[in-house]
Amino acid sequence: MSQSEIMLVFEQMNPNQKKEMLQQVKSEYRQILIKYFTNDINLKEKIDKLIHAIFRANIPVPQIIEIHMELVDEFAKQLKIEGRSDYNSLLLDYRLTLIDMLAHLCEIYRRSGTSKG
């Protein structure tokens, strides 16, 4: 995400800018989901970077949840195509990713609220 995209608050974006921003977030979030249960040493940094971008752009939390659900749905379809019978249990684990992302976002909001006081 470029700095100019981040500087523009989500609510002020035109529909094309919103779509582009959400596609970028979805792309980065997809990579986080794929690597979430690995030993990727850069994952925490990637999560922090994405969460800070979401915070600065003021993207609504329901949008993040929607992106998560879309990605999990895409993964479910792919696993079903591959004939994986255990795909439901695998996908349930991805709830942890969403909880982790939202917890990071809440912490940023909490810190920003206390620094204003």
Side-chain angles (χ1 to χ4, degrees):
M1 251 173 268
S2 71
Q3 289 292 46
S4 61
E5 286 178 312
I6 292 171
M7 300 305 271
L8 192 58
V9 178
F10 189 76
E11 292 85 20
Q12 297 171 339
M13 293 178 182
N14 67 45
N16 288 335
Q17 290 171 316
K18 285 182 180 182
K19 183 178 178 181
E20 187 177 313
M21 171 68 99
L22 291 175
Q23 282 300 106
Q24 183 66 34
V25 167
K26 186 175 181 178
S27 175
E28 291 177 25
Y29 191 72
R30 176 183 286 111
Q31 294 306 309
I32 289 169
L33 279 174
I34 290 169
K35 295 183 181 219
Y36 193 77
F37 295 105
T38 67
N39 291 327
D40 183 342
I41 59 173
N42 298 316
L43 188 62
K44 183 177 177 354
E45 182 182 323
K46 291 174 187 176
I47 290 172
D48 287 343
K49 180 182 172 192
L50 180 58
I51 290 301
H52 279 79
I54 289 168
F55 175 76
R56 286 190 301 268
N58 201 26
I59 297 173
V61 170
Q63 290 286 168
I64 304 309
I65 295 170
E66 184 178 321
I67 288 170
H68 176 86
M69 297 307 293
E70 287 173 7
L71 288 170
V72 168
D73 196 41
E74 289 173 17
F75 289 170
K77 289 176 185 171
Q78 182 62 38
L79 290 170
K80 196 172 184 178
I81 289 169
E82 293 174 6
R84 297 281 302 259
S85 60
D86 61 343
Y87 72 93
N88 278 330
S89 62
L90 287 171
L91 296 174
L92 288 176
D93 291 343
Y94 284 110
R95 294 179 297 182
L96 296 173
T97 312
L98 179 61
I99 292 167
D100 192 15
M101 298 289 285
L102 294 179
H104 276 76
L105 190 57
C106 287
E107 183 60 21
I108 292 173
Y109 279 115
R110 185 190 68 76
R111 279 192 246 140
S112 73
T114 57
S115 65
K116 291 179 183 177

